[in-house]
Amino acid sequence: MQSLPKKYNFAEIERKWQQKWEEMGIYHFDWNDTRRPAFSIDTPPPYPSGEFHMGNVLNWTYFDIVARYKRMRGYNVLFPQGWDCHGLSIEVQVEKEHNIRKRDVPPDQFRKWCEQLVEKYIAMMKEGILKLGCSVDWTTEYRTMNPDYWRRTQLSFILLHKKGYMYQGTHPVNWCPRCETAIADAEVDYESREGTLHYIRFLLEGSSEYLLIATSRPEFIPACVAVEVHPEDARFNKYIGKKIVVPVVNRVVTIIPDEAVDPSFGTGVVMICTYGDKEDVKTVIKHRLPVIRLLTENGRINENGGKYAGLTINQARKAIVEDLAADGLLEKTEKLPQEVGVCDRCKSHVEILEVKQWFMKTRVLTEQVEKTANEVLWYPDHMKTRLIDWARSLDWDWVISRQRVFATPIPVWYCKSCGELILAEEKWVPIDPKLENPRIDKCPKCGSREFIPERDVFDTWMDSSITCAVHAGWPDREDWKRFFPADVHPSGIDIIRTWAYYLMVRHLALFNEKPYKSCLINGMVLGSDGRKMSKSLKNYVASPEVLNKYGSDATRQWAAGGGATGSDIPFRWPDVEYGRRFLVKLWNVSRFANKLLKDYTPSETAELALQPLDKWVLSKAEKLTQKVTEAMEKCQFNIAAEEIRNFTWHVLCDCYVEAVKDRLYRPEIHGEAERAAAQHTLYEVLYRVLQLLSPITPHLTEEIYQPMYSPYKGFKSLQISSWPEFNEALVDEEAENRGDLIMALIIDRRRDKAEKRLPLNAPIKKLTVYAGNQTNADVIATGKCDIAGTLNVERFVVLPKEGSGREIPQFPGVISVAEYGGVIKK
Ligand SMILES: [Zn+2]
Ligand SMILES: [Zn+2]
């Protein structure tokens, strides 16, 4: 047998195997294979943020474990990797970097800068994925910013438009005044901020009597269209139908009843403005109130704000409050803690604006989403309620248009003279309507030859919510449905409401089919202090720091073993250090085995003189296989990792190897056949450990596999060896019970030596065991070879009767007495 190198340099071997696996092509998905079942992973293409952070490490480790496990189970695994390039976040960074706003430079220039930044970021993140040793098929790599990907996004839009899912509407939308674009509900974050509640007097028309209204947004007073009270509020219902004067702008509005008013909040009288918040939107629709647009797209007061026109929202608030005070209409103010919706990219206060936008009808799908979510397997199961609750909570359809530059263009034009909408034909895409006219002679409705391009672009989720179909080869491969739905969609807990949801609605609408069969959820990575990991909290650890210091195999053990799938996982250096120590232990036991197997040639047919401890460890390895396989099937990586590490460390290294060392070293005492049995057992059990571990720690296990196993097991890589099938026939409870007793005696006697501060190989002149009964005596007698050898016993006596001496804790009634003496052998 080839020998293992002396030194284990993790950085070197990890780099070496990453390169060799690539050369071997073992990650290549074989599109034409009809023999093996396919298993497809819907790798979520990440936003290139420039950093492959610990959250990514957790995420990618999860699905890389799945990919490696499935390959060993004989699947043809599709593990693609794309990049979700578009989006506000890149634009915001380009604007900052070049100190401009998107409109200050030609769109081409702006796009180019965005692309450059994205490429730089992709390179950095790719390095992280490679360093982690992810088994990605890089021939599948794609970028959503490339026109070839636009083609797919645009095609999906055209198909959905034809099916009636896409529409344009003037509808209130969430609007970020800084980014100057509509944003979806899912892009609104909530922050706790301290606001001020202003108590303002609204005079009844033609009277000095007033109603007091408390509002945190007095700047919206110019857009007040009604005042509301609860119909059963005895204090105020006498005013219903009366007219009231909106201060500052002196417009008269009507007092209307609405059950939705909470009489106990503020003063119980509410002003309705267009739009202060989402409640206002509902009220306006319900009571068919007029809309006064107050804000411009960049968050200033427009001409409807009268003398406040041109001011920013904050300036307007200040001016209006001053004017109210001067008019004697501001009664008092008080502090108000509030939850404020902010843009998830730039953290600006989100406003509600009524703008013409493109929408996808998503609410009509809610029932189907719920039904389908229940058909999908979720790891862990309770995560499905997050998707269902989110779908049910949506008030509005999905606004899919954005007023940005760096995104996929919406393939639509309008006739200049009659306004007719011209939808691109399927074969025209990819197309940028801003650069090209529709490929028709004239408007089909009025005959005009002039067209206006749609300037809006798609929300970036329009790109990334068709990946399940795209990864399967849609629309280019005729057989794409062979690889669809995806077998697993991995997702962070924080993006279920976006990624898992948008995938669901897009694929249901497009193909009337669920996008994924299962959903694998990872939690968030917390800092070592248990709070969310964040640069500002100073509990942040960058992944290169971890990977460079301890390597991938140790880091992956942290990710796999850090906690239950779906739960938040704290980053703790000791977890990674433990992973490293485990690797060293595995390396040492493999080196030991390698030395003692030098003269060993594995043979399937050899007659084996298996001893009780051999049978004991073989049976335990079989049970381990069952537990690990079950855990892998349920994506319980922490259970798999713990089981294998405990077995390796405690059962294999601490017990078995220690107990058979003497048998391996001294065949002249124990017999050649007995030695061969130990060699066989050690060889096979170590192989089992390497196989079960390899999805979690692929590098070191491969390093050990190649010289020791590859020539005999015949797989060019451990990564594509067949996952061991649990064989119940190999579980031998009786052998385990017998082995437990023998092992307990050895351990107890070694402990006794340690307590007496004797070396572990100190000779025992005579060891007498009072087994208490004949059964135990027989068992101990069968283990005599390993017991006497390991404990260095000169005379070994087993008696089936009771006696007094040292009792084995786990086996009451089994007593041993050792007589030390003579010269201690070193
Ligand atoms: Zn923003
Ligand atoms: Zn026309």
Side-chain angles (χ1 to χ4, degrees), residues 283-477:
T283 312
V284 166
I285 295 169
K286 190 161 144 196
H287 296 282
R288 298 170 185 266
L289 297 169
V291 172
I292 299 172
R293 288 188 199 176
L294 188 65
L295 298 180
T296 64
E297 297 186 354
N298 61 2
R300 287 177 183 266
I301 307 293
N302 67 15
E303 64 283 0
N304 292 331
K307 63 184 270 208
Y308 308 107
L311 299 182
T312 64
I313 292 169
N314 286 337
Q315 290 166 341
R317 179 184 307 136
K318 196 160 169 269
I320 287 173
V321 169
E322 278 169 14
D323 288 349
L324 287 168
D327 293 347
L329 296 176
L330 181 67
E331 192 160 302
K332 61 170 178 174
T333 62
E334 57 190 37
K335 294 288 171 215
L336 174 75
Q338 50 183 178
E339 287 280 290
V340 174
V342 298
C343 167
D344 73 349
R345 295 294 163 208
C346 75
K347 304 297 170 205
S348 302
H349 195 312
V350 169
E351 299 295 345
I352 294 170
L353 244 59
E354 204 170 67
V355 207
K356 195 173 183 189
Q357 298 288 348
W358 280 98
F359 294 86
M360 174 174 166
K361 285 183 193 164
T362 46
R363 286 175 308 164
V364 296
L365 292 163
T366 300
E367 226 169 87
Q368 214 184 339
V369 167
E370 183 169 349
K371 185 175 154 276
T372 315
N374 279 310
E375 288 165 18
V376 168
L377 274 172
W378 294 78
Y379 305 107
D381 182 60
H382 63 267
M383 289 295 173
K384 70 175 159 217
T385 56
R386 286 188 177 241
L387 181 73
I388 294 168
D389 290 350
W390 172 254
R392 282 197 193 140
S393 77
L394 292 169
D395 295 321
W396 301 344
D397 280 335
W398 176 11
V399 47
I400 57 163
S401 50
R402 297 290 184 274
Q403 292 64 49
R404 302 297 302 184
V405 177
F406 185 51
T408 304
I410 300 178
V412 157
W413 300 258
Y414 306 93
C415 168
K416 197 171 176 184
S417 65
C418 77
E420 177 76 354
L421 181 124
I422 318 280
L423 178 68
E425 281 180 26
E426 291 165 32
K427 56 180 185 291
W428 298 354
V429 295
I431 195 163
D432 185 347
K434 293 186 282 304
L435 305 178
E436 250 187 273
N437 264 333
R439 294 169 199 168
I440 49 172
D441 295 339
K442 51 186 198 292
C443 167
K445 199 170 162 196
C446 75
S448 161
R449 290 170 192 278
E450 284 188 277
F451 305 98
I452 301 167
E454 173 60 85
R455 307 210 76 86
D456 284 0
V457 292
F458 285 124
D459 174 10
T460 185
W461 287 107
M462 280 290 283
D463 297 333
S464 52
S465 59
I466 50 172
T467 52
C468 296
V470 169
H471 292 158
W474 177 85
D476 303 320
R477 288 190 67 92

Side-chain angles (χ1 to χ4, degrees), residues 139-263:
T139 63
T140 62
E141 193 179 2
Y142 64 91
R143 288 160 168 73
T144 60
M145 67 183 178
N146 288 350
D148 188 54
Y149 197 94
W150 288 9
R151 179 170 63 91
R152 301 158 211 264
T153 305
Q154 292 181 329
L155 178 62
S156 73
F157 169 80
I158 294 166
L159 294 175
L160 289 176
H161 195 283
K162 289 180 175 170
K163 286 181 140 194
Y165 279 101
M166 298 299 182
Y167 67 94
Q168 274 181 301
T170 302
H171 187 284
V173 291
N174 300 304
W175 186 272
C176 174
R178 201 223 71 94
C179 300
E180 293 183 43
T181 182
I183 59 176
D185 278 350
E187 293 167 300
V188 178
D189 280 347
Y190 288 88
E191 281 185 2
S192 301
R193 291 186 183 172
E194 192 180 66
T196 305
L197 202 54
H198 301 77
Y199 288 81
I200 299 164
R201 293 173 182 172
F202 278 51
L203 293 165
L204 289 159
E205 192 183 22
S207 161
S208 58
E209 203 185 337
Y210 62 85
L211 296 184
L212 202 56
I213 290 180
T215 176
S216 60
R217 306 213 65 188
E219 62 273 26
F220 275 91
I221 287 177
C224 173
V225 292
V227 166
E228 271 188 341
V229 296
H230 194 281
E232 272 148 43
D233 189 337
R235 295 172 295 172
F236 305 118
N237 54 11
K238 57 180 176 276
Y239 299 112
I240 290 168
K242 295 224 157 63
K243 304 281 183 194
I244 194 164
V245 183
V246 178
V248 175
V249 288
N250 294 320
R251 194 174 47 250
V252 174
V253 299
T254 308
I255 300 169
I256 58 172
D258 197 319
E259 314 249 327
V261 175
D262 175 2

Side-chain angles (χ1 to χ4, degrees), residues 70 75 336 372 378 388 457 592 620 702 731 813:
K70 290 289 176 181
Y75 287 88
L336 174 75
T372 315
W378 294 78
I388 294 168
V457 292
F592 167 79
K620 282 193 182 301
E702 183 84 271
V731 173

Side-chain angles (χ1 to χ4, degrees), residues 5-19 21 130-133 543-557 573 576-577 579-584 587 697-701 703:
K6 272 204 185 78
K7 272 258 162 232
Y8 158 43
N9 179 328
F10 71 85
E12 231 168 70
I13 73 145
E14 290 185 357
R15 214 175 311 117
K16 177 179 83 184
W17 287 113
Q18 284 158 12
Q19 203 182 333
W21 287 326
L130 290 169
K131 250 199 172 136
L132 189 61
S543 72
E545 197 187 330
V546 184
L547 287 167
N548 290 338
K549 191 163 180 199
Y550 289 107
S552 160
D553 281 351
T555 307
R556 292 167 67 105
Q557 287 179 70
W573 283 107
V576 192
E577 283 152 14
R580 182 62 181 286
R581 282 204 310 279
F582 173 76
L583 295 170
V584 172
W587 179 251
T697 61
H699 305 90
L700 185 65
T701 48
E703 177 78 2

Side-chain angles (χ1 to χ4, degrees), residues 52-60 522-525 533 543 558:
F52 192 69
H53 53 69
M54 289 311 288
N56 296 134
V57 167
L58 178 67
N59 205 198
W60 261 256
N522 66 277
M524 300 288 99
V525 175
M533 196 183 260
S543 72
W558 157 76

